[in-house]
Amino acid sequence: MNQFTPAELRKLRSLKTPYGIQRLLDDMPYHLADTAWSPRRVLRENTSHCCEGAIFAAAALRVNGFPPLLLDLEADHDTDHVLALYRVNGHWGTIAKSNYAGCRYREPVYRTLRELAMSYFNTYFNMRRERTLRTFSRPVNLARFDRANWMTTEEPVWFIVNHLFDVKHYKLLRPDMIKRLHRIDERLFQAECLGKAMPPKNSQ
């Protein structure tokens, strides 16, 4: 499939389900570098960040019989979050790599994409402890990039990242709602940062 080797296909097929894919992502160390690795590179290096993890999960979903879909979440004064999207019996779920505990997997129990996106709202915050999630995108089917060999190329897949910037996004909150938002408390902050990967400290 799109030039995966037999060994790579066996590995991806062994994951079997969206939850199996999520477990593999959870076992990978979080990748802090500013890269855009393909699923093949992620599989070889056994590490990924948010966007790489979602693209990898989309490829693994495809190998296991799902369309390779992404969903982009946009934030205010914060980084975006990219999710691999799947559907079971008409309900949406997601697979995600995140440096924060609550921004990862969602079971396929959400009737609409807005409902699914809102499930991330309470635990989506910046280091000023502001709740920052604002919009969600329409689904992006990565099959559109098959000619670029997005699953197996050794080149960076920035073309996927750039496409996500251009996709239509839908607002989650009205301006009056945003004005009334409170910062998260200390307990939620500490819980969400459990296991957070950090850059190595400067030894100088």
Side-chain angles (χ1 to χ4, degrees), residues 93 103 105 133 169 198:
C103 288
Y105 182 76
L133 180 58
H169 285 67
M198 301 291 290

Side-chain angles (χ1 to χ4, degrees), residues 54-180:
I55 296 169
F56 170 84
L61 282 168
R62 189 183 210 180
V63 169
N64 286 283
F66 295 84
L69 302 178
L70 293 186
L71 186 76
D72 183 52
L73 302 179
E74 283 187 336
D76 190 20
H77 305 299
D78 202 353
T79 56
D80 292 359
H81 190 33
V82 185
L83 316 166
L85 185 65
Y86 69 97
R87 204 173 193 181
V88 177
N89 295 330
H91 288 73
W92 295 104
T94 56
I95 305 166
K97 182 71 175 175
S98 179
N99 214 2
Y100 298 90
C103 288
R104 298 178 295 129
Y105 182 76
R106 294 293 187 271
E107 297 282 359
V109 298
Y110 299 94
R111 294 169 296 176
T112 67
L113 293 178
R114 186 183 190 282
E115 186 179 273
L116 171 62
M118 283 301 293
S119 76
Y120 286 89
F121 177 76
N122 195 52
T123 55
Y124 203 128
F125 57 85
N126 61 23
M127 290 299 98
R128 294 192 295 272
R129 308 191 184 197
E130 300 164 330
R131 290 184 170 92
T132 56
L133 180 58
R134 296 293 183 267
T135 75
F136 68 99
S137 75
R138 64 173 179 80
V140 174
N141 191 323
L142 294 185
R144 68 185 293 126
F145 298 114
D146 282 350
R147 289 186 179 181
N149 294 322
W150 65 276
M151 294 195 292
T152 57
T153 180
E154 294 295 335
E155 298 299 318
V157 293
W158 290 114
F159 52 86
I160 296 177
V161 179
N162 293 333
H163 182 73
L164 292 175
F165 289 131
D166 296 332
V167 170
K168 181 175 176 59
H169 285 67
Y170 303 90
K171 292 182 179 180
L172 288 167
L173 305 178
R174 300 192 308 266
D176 60 303
M177 292 176 175
I178 295 171
K179 290 179 180 179
R180 293 196 298 269

